[in-house]
């Protein structure tokens, strides 16, 4: 699942690995991989999250 960063910054945790993404970057999460993100910038986080499947299931991680 790709996350296209348009503005701001986000901290992603993907399968236990932490990374920071900023505007102009794309983060790709493999299918069926646990992940989460949070806004770490001073302003608004704007990104496009592409879900290429028929069903969207969310399990909120702490």
């Amino acid at each position: 699942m790709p996350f296209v960063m348009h503005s701001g910054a986000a901290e992603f945790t993907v399968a236990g690995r932490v990374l920071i993404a900023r505007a102009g970057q794309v983060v790709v999460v493999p299918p069926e991989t646990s992940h989460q993100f949070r806004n770490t910038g001073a302003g608004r986080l704007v990104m496009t999250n592409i879900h290429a499947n028929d069903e969207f299931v969310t399990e909120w991680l702490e």
Side-chain angles (χ1 to χ4, degrees):
M1 162 182 339
F3 296 85
V4 181
M5 305 293 295
H6 299 289
S7 66
E11 178 185 277
F12 282 81
T13 303
V14 179
R17 182 173 167 228
V18 176
L19 59 102
I20 302 297
R22 294 180 176 78
Q25 295 181 305
V26 176
V27 176
V28 178
V29 177
E32 298 186 31
T33 302
S34 63
H35 61 280
Q36 61 186 10
F37 60 86
R38 67 184 182 92
N39 184 358
T40 56
R44 182 177 291 218
L45 171 62
V46 179
M47 63 183 175
T48 300
N49 308 334
I50 302 169
H51 301 271
N53 55 3
D54 295 338
E55 184 179 9
F56 181 86
V57 177
T58 300
E59 289 184 40
W60 297 105
L61 303 175
E62 295 293 328

Coordinates of all heavy atoms in Angstrom, one line a residue:
M1 N 0.8 -1.2 0.0 CA 0.0 0.0 0.0 C 0.9 1.2 0.0 O 1.7 1.4 0.9 CB -0.9 0.0 1.3 CG -1.5 1.3 1.6 SD -2.5 1.3 3.1 CE -2.9 -0.4 3.4
P2 N 0.8 2.1 -1.0 CA 1.6 3.3 -1.0 C 0.9 4.5 -0.3 O -0.3 4.6 -0.3 CB 1.7 3.6 -2.5 CG 1.1 2.5 -3.3 CD 0.3 1.7 -2.3
F3 N 1.8 5.2 0.3 CA 1.4 6.5 1.0 C 2.2 7.6 0.3 O 3.4 7.6 0.4 CB 1.7 6.5 2.5 CG 1.0 5.5 3.3 CD1 1.4 4.2 3.4 CD2 -0.2 5.8 3.9 CE1 0.8 3.2 4.1 CE2 -0.9 4.9 4.7 CZ -0.4 3.6 4.8
V4 N 1.5 8.5 -0.4 CA 2.2 9.6 -1.2 C 2.1 10.8 -0.3 O 1.1 11.3 0.0 CB 1.5 9.8 -2.5 CG1 2.2 10.9 -3.3 CG2 1.4 8.5 -3.3
M5 N 3.3 11.3 0.1 CA 3.4 12.5 1.0 C 3.3 13.8 0.1 O 4.2 14.0 -0.7 CB 4.7 12.4 1.7 CG 4.9 11.1 2.5 SD 3.8 10.9 3.9 CE 4.3 12.3 4.9
H6 N 2.4 14.6 0.5 CA 2.2 15.9 -0.3 C 2.8 17.0 0.6 O 3.4 17.9 0.0 CB 0.7 16.1 -0.6 CG 0.1 15.1 -1.5 ND1 0.5 14.9 -2.8 CD2 -0.7 14.1 -1.2 CE1 -0.2 13.9 -3.3 NE2 -0.9 13.4 -2.4
S7 N 2.5 17.1 1.9 CA 3.1 18.1 2.7 C 3.1 17.6 4.1 O 2.4 16.7 4.5 CB 2.3 19.4 2.6 OG 1.0 19.3 3.2
G8 N 4.0 18.2 4.9 CA 4.2 17.8 6.3 C 5.2 16.7 6.4 O 5.9 16.3 5.5
A9 N 5.2 16.1 7.6 CA 6.1 14.9 7.9 C 5.3 13.9 8.8 O 4.4 14.3 9.6 CB 7.3 15.4 8.7
A10 N 5.6 12.7 8.6 CA 5.0 11.6 9.4 C 6.0 10.6 9.8 O 6.9 10.3 9.1 CB 3.9 11.0 8.6
E11 N 5.8 10.1 11.0 CA 6.6 8.9 11.5 C 5.8 7.7 11.2 O 4.6 7.5 11.7 CB 6.8 9.1 13.0 CG 7.6 7.9 13.6 CD 7.7 8.0 15.1 OE1 8.7 8.7 15.5 OE2 6.9 7.3 15.8
F12 N 6.3 6.8 10.4 CA 5.7 5.5 10.1 C 6.4 4.4 10.9 O 7.6 4.4 11.1 CB 5.9 5.2 8.6 CG 5.0 5.9 7.7 CD1 5.2 7.2 7.3 CD2 3.8 5.3 7.2 CE1 4.4 7.9 6.5 CE2 3.0 6.0 6.4 CZ 3.2 7.3 6.0
T13 N 5.6 3.5 11.4 CA 6.1 2.2 11.9 C 5.6 1.1 11.1 O 4.4 1.0 11.0 CB 5.7 2.1 13.4 OG1 6.1 3.2 14.2 CG2 6.3 0.8 14.0
V14 N 6.5 0.4 10.4 CA 6.1 -0.6 9.5 C 6.8 -1.9 9.9 O 8.1 -2.0 9.9 CB 6.5 -0.3 8.0 CG1 6.2 -1.4 7.1 CG2 5.9 1.0 7.6
A15 N 6.0 -2.9 10.4 CA 6.6 -4.1 10.9 C 7.7 -3.9 11.9 O 8.7 -4.5 11.9 CB 7.1 -5.0 9.8
G16 N 7.4 -2.9 12.8 CA 8.4 -2.6 13.9 C 9.5 -1.7 13.5 O 10.2 -1.2 14.4
R17 N 9.7 -1.3 12.3 CA 10.7 -0.4 11.8 C 10.2 1.0 11.7 O 9.1 1.2 11.1 CB 11.2 -0.9 10.5 CG 12.4 0.0 10.0 CD 12.9 -0.6 8.7 NE 13.8 0.4 8.1 CZ 13.8 0.7 6.8 NH1 13.0 0.1 6.0 NH2 14.6 1.6 6.3
V18 N 10.9 2.0 12.3 CA 10.4 3.4 12.3 C 11.1 4.1 11.3 O 12.4 4.0 11.1 CB 10.7 4.0 13.7 CG1 10.3 5.5 13.7 CG2 9.9 3.2 14.8
L19 N 10.4 5.0 10.5 CA 11.0 5.8 9.5 C 10.2 7.1 9.5 O 9.0 7.2 9.8 CB 11.1 5.2 8.1 CG 9.7 4.7 7.5 CD1 9.3 5.7 6.5 CD2 9.9 3.4 6.9
I20 N 10.9 8.2 9.0 CA 10.2 9.5 8.9 C 10.1 9.8 7.4 O 11.1 9.6 6.6 CB 11.1 10.6 9.5 CG1 11.3 10.4 11.0 CG2 10.5 12.0 9.3 CD1 10.0 10.4 11.8
A21 N 8.9 10.2 7.0 CA 8.6 10.5 5.6 C 8.2 12.0 5.5 O 7.5 12.5 6.4 CB 7.6 9.6 5.0
R22 N 8.6 12.7 4.4 CA 8.3 14.1 4.2 C 7.7 14.3 2.8 O 7.8 13.4 2.0 CB 9.6 14.9 4.4 CG 10.1 14.9 5.8 CD 11.4 15.7 6.0 NE 11.8 15.7 7.4 CZ 12.5 14.7 8.0 NH1 12.8 13.6 7.3 NH2 12.9 14.8 9.2
A23 N 7.2 15.5 2.6 CA 6.6 15.8 1.3 C 7.6 15.4 0.2 O 8.8 15.6 0.3 CB 6.4 17.3 1.3
G24 N 7.0 14.8 -0.9 CA 7.7 14.4 -2.0 C 8.2 13.0 -2.0 O 8.7 12.4 -3.0
Q25 N 8.0 12.3 -0.8 CA 8.4 10.9 -0.7 C 7.2 10.0 -0.8 O 6.0 10.4 -0.6 CB 9.1 10.7 0.6 CG 10.4 11.4 0.8 CD 11.1 11.1 2.1 OE1 10.5 11.3 3.1 NE2 12.3 10.6 2.0
V26 N 7.4 8.7 -1.1 CA 6.4 7.7 -1.1 C 6.8 6.6 -0.2 O 8.0 6.1 -0.3 CB 6.2 7.2 -2.5 CG1 5.2 6.0 -2.6 CG2 5.7 8.3 -3.5
V27 N 6.0 6.2 0.7 CA 6.2 5.0 1.6 C 5.4 3.9 1.1 O 4.2 4.0 0.9 CB 5.9 5.4 3.0 CG1 6.0 4.2 3.9 CG2 6.7 6.5 3.6
V28 N 6.0 2.7 0.9 CA 5.3 1.5 0.4 C 5.3 0.5 1.5 O 6.4 0.1 2.0 CB 5.9 1.0 -0.9 CG1 5.2 -0.3 -1.3 CG2 5.9 2.0 -2.0
V29 N 4.1 0.0 1.9 CA 4.0 -1.0 2.9 C 3.5 -2.3 2.2 O 2.5 -2.3 1.5 CB 2.9 -0.6 4.0 CG1 2.7 -1.7 5.0 CG2 3.3 0.7 4.7
P30 N 4.2 -3.4 2.4 CA 3.8 -4.6 1.8 C 2.5 -5.1 2.3 O 2.0 -4.7 3.4 CB 4.9 -5.6 2.3 CG 6.1 -4.8 2.7 CD 5.5 -3.5 3.2
P31 N 1.8 -5.9 1.5 CA 0.4 -6.4 1.8 C 0.5 -7.1 3.2 O 1.5 -7.8 3.5 CB 0.1 -7.3 0.7 CG 0.9 -6.9 -0.5 CD 2.2 -6.3 0.1
E32 N -0.6 -7.0 3.9 CA -0.8 -7.7 5.2 C 0.4 -7.5 6.2 O 0.8 -8.4 6.9 CB -1.0 -9.2 4.9 CG -2.3 -9.4 4.1 CD -2.6 -10.9 4.0 OE1 -2.3 -11.7 4.9 OE2 -3.2 -11.2 2.9
T33 N 0.9 -6.3 6.2 CA 2.0 -5.9 7.1 C 1.5 -4.9 8.1 O 0.9 -3.9 7.6 CB 3.2 -5.3 6.3 OG1 3.7 -6.3 5.4 CG2 4.3 -4.9 7.2
S34 N 1.7 -5.1 9.4 CA 1.2 -4.1 10.3 C 1.9 -2.8 10.2 O 3.1 -2.8 9.9 CB 1.3 -4.7 11.8 OG 2.7 -4.9 12.1
H35 N 1.2 -1.7 10.3 CA 1.8 -0.4 10.1 C 0.9 0.6 10.8 O -0.2 0.4 11.0 CB 2.0 0.0 8.6 CG 0.7 0.0 7.9 ND1 0.1 -1.1 7.4 CD2 -0.1 1.0 7.5 CE1 -1.0 -0.8 6.8 NE2 -1.1 0.5 6.8
Q36 N 1.6 1.8 11.1 CA 0.9 2.9 11.7 C 1.7 4.2 11.3 O 2.8 4.1 10.9 CB 0.7 2.8 13.2 CG 1.9 2.7 14.0 CD 1.7 2.5 15.4 OE1 0.5 2.2 15.8 NE2 2.7 2.6 16.3
F37 N 1.0 5.3 11.4 CA 1.7 6.6 11.1 C 1.1 7.7 12.0 O 0.0 7.5 12.5 CB 1.6 7.0 9.7 CG 0.2 7.2 9.1 CD1 -0.4 8.4 9.3 CD2 -0.4 6.1 8.5 CE1 -1.7 8.6 8.8 CE2 -1.7 6.3 8.0 CZ -2.4 7.5 8.2
R38 N 1.9 8.7 12.2 CA 1.4 9.9 13.0 C 2.1 11.1 12.5 O 3.2 11.1 12.0 CB 1.6 9.7 14.5 CG 3.1 9.7 14.9 CD 3.2 9.4 16.4 NE 4.6 9.5 16.8 CZ 5.2 10.5 17.3 NH1 4.6 11.7 17.4 NH2 6.5 10.5 17.6
N39 N 1.4 12.2 12.6 CA 1.9 13.5 12.1 C 3.0 13.9 13.1 O 2.8 14.0 14.3 CB 0.8 14.5 12.1 CG 1.2 15.9 11.6 OD1 2.3 16.1 11.2 ND2 0.3 16.8 11.5
T40 N 4.2 14.2 12.5 CA 5.3 14.7 13.4 C 5.7 16.1 13.0 O 6.7 16.6 13.5 CB 6.5 13.7 13.3 OG1 6.9 13.6 11.9 CG2 6.2 12.4 13.9
G41 N 5.1 16.7 12.0 CA 5.4 18.0 11.5 C 4.7 19.1 12.4 O 3.8 18.8 13.2
A42 N 5.1 20.3 12.2 CA 4.5 21.4 12.9 C 3.2 21.8 12.3 O 2.3 22.4 13.0 CB 5.5 22.6 12.8
G43 N 2.9 21.4 11.1 CA 1.7 21.8 10.4 C 0.8 20.6 10.0 O 1.0 19.5 10.6
R44 N 0.0 20.8 9.1 CA -0.9 19.7 8.6 C -0.2 18.7 7.8 O 0.7 19.0 7.0 CB -2.0 20.4 7.8 CG -3.1 19.4 7.3 CD -4.1 20.1 6.5 NE -4.9 20.9 7.5 CZ -6.2 21.0 7.4 NH1 -6.9 20.5 6.4 NH2 -6.8 21.8 8.3
L45 N -0.6 17.5 8.0 CA -0.1 16.3 7.2 C -1.0 16.1 6.1 O -2.2 15.9 6.3 CB 0.1 15.1 8.1 CG 0.4 13.8 7.4 CD1 1.8 13.9 6.7 CD2 0.4 12.6 8.4
V46 N -0.5 16.1 4.8 CA -1.4 15.8 3.7 C -0.7 14.7 2.9 O 0.4 14.8 2.5 CB -1.6 17.1 2.8 CG1 -2.4 16.7 1.6 CG2 -2.2 18.2 3.6
M47 N -1.5 13.6 2.8 CA -0.9 12.5 2.0 C -2.1 11.7 1.4 O -3.2 11.8 1.8 CB -0.1 11.5 2.9 CG -0.8 10.9 4.0 SD 0.3 9.9 4.9 CE -0.8 9.4 6.2
T48 N -1.8 11.0 0.3 CA -2.7 10.1 -0.4 C -2.4 8.7 0.0 O -1.2 8.3 -0.2 CB -2.7 10.3 -1.9 OG1 -3.0 11.7 -2.2 CG2 -3.7 9.4 -2.6
N49 N -3.4 8.0 0.5 CA -3.2 6.6 0.9 C -3.9 5.7 -0.1 O -5.1 5.8 -0.3 CB -3.8 6.3 2.3 CG -3.2 7.3 3.3 OD1 -2.1 7.8 3.2 ND2 -4.0 7.5 4.4
I50 N -3.2 4.9 -0.8 CA -3.8 4.1 -1.9 C -4.0 2.6 -1.4 O -3.1 1.9 -1.1 CB -2.9 4.1 -3.1 CG1 -2.7 5.5 -3.6 CG2 -3.5 3.2 -4.3 CD1 -1.6 5.7 -4.6
H51 N -5.3 2.3 -1.4 CA -5.7 0.9 -1.0 C -6.2 0.2 -2.2 O -7.4 0.4 -2.6 CB -6.8 1.0 0.1 CG -6.3 1.7 1.3 ND1 -5.7 1.1 2.3 CD2 -6.4 3.0 1.7 CE1 -5.4 2.0 3.3 NE2 -5.8 3.2 2.9
A52 N -5.4 -0.7 -2.8 CA -5.8 -1.3 -4.0 C -6.5 -2.7 -3.8 O -6.0 -3.7 -4.2 CB -4.6 -1.5 -4.9
N53 N -7.6 -2.7 -3.0 CA -8.3 -3.9 -2.8 C -9.8 -3.5 -2.6 O -10.2 -2.3 -2.5 CB -7.8 -4.7 -1.6 CG -7.8 -3.9 -0.3 OD1 -8.1 -2.7 -0.3 ND2 -7.3 -4.4 0.7
D54 N -10.6 -4.5 -2.6 CA -12.1 -4.3 -2.6 C -12.6 -4.0 -1.2 O -13.7 -3.4 -1.0 CB -12.9 -5.5 -3.1 CG -12.6 -5.7 -4.6 OD1 -12.2 -4.7 -5.3 OD2 -12.8 -6.8 -5.0
E55 N -11.8 -4.4 -0.1 CA -12.2 -4.2 1.2 C -11.2 -3.5 2.0 O -10.0 -3.8 1.9 CB -12.5 -5.6 1.8 CG -13.1 -5.5 3.2 CD -13.3 -6.9 3.8 OE1 -13.0 -7.9 3.1 OE2 -13.9 -7.0 4.9
F56 N -11.6 -2.6 2.9 CA -10.6 -1.8 3.8 C -10.9 -2.3 5.2 O -12.0 -2.1 5.7 CB -10.9 -0.3 3.6 CG -10.0 0.5 4.4 CD1 -8.7 0.9 3.9 CD2 -10.3 1.0 5.6 CE1 -7.9 1.7 4.6 CE2 -9.5 1.8 6.3 CZ -8.3 2.1 5.8
V57 N -9.9 -2.9 5.9 CA -10.1 -3.3 7.2 C -9.1 -2.6 8.1 O -7.9 -2.6 7.8 CB -9.9 -4.9 7.4 CG1 -10.0 -5.3 8.8 CG2 -10.9 -5.6 6.5
T58 N -9.5 -2.0 9.2 CA -8.6 -1.3 10.1 C -8.6 -1.9 11.5 O -9.7 -2.2 12.0 CB -9.1 0.2 10.3 OG1 -9.1 0.8 9.0 CG2 -8.2 0.9 11.2
E59 N -7.4 -2.2 12.0 CA -7.2 -2.6 13.3 C -6.3 -1.5 13.9 O -5.1 -1.4 13.5 CB -6.5 -4.0 13.4 CG -7.4 -5.1 13.0 CD -6.8 -6.4 13.3 OE1 -6.1 -6.6 14.3 OE2 -6.9 -7.3 12.4
W60 N -6.7 -0.7 14.9 CA -6.0 0.4 15.4 C -4.9 -0.2 16.3 O -5.1 -1.0 17.2 CB -6.8 1.3 16.2 CG -7.8 2.0 15.3 CD1 -9.1 1.7 15.2 CD2 -7.5 3.0 14.3 NE1 -9.7 2.5 14.2 CE2 -8.8 3.3 13.6 CE3 -6.4 3.6 13.9 CZ2 -8.9 4.2 12.6 CZ3 -6.5 4.6 12.8 CH2 -7.7 4.8 12.2
L61 N -3.6 0.2 16.0 CA -2.5 -0.2 16.9 C -2.2 0.9 17.9 O -2.4 2.1 17.6 CB -1.2 -0.4 16.0 CG -1.4 -1.4 14.8 CD1 -0.1 -1.4 14.0 CD2 -1.7 -2.8 15.4
E62 N -1.7 0.6 19.0 CA -1.4 1.6 20.0 C 0.0 2.1 19.8 O 0.9 1.5 19.3 CB -1.4 0.9 21.4 CG -2.8 0.5 21.8 CD -3.8 1.7 22.0 OE1 -3.3 2.8 22.4 OE2 -5.0 1.5 21.7

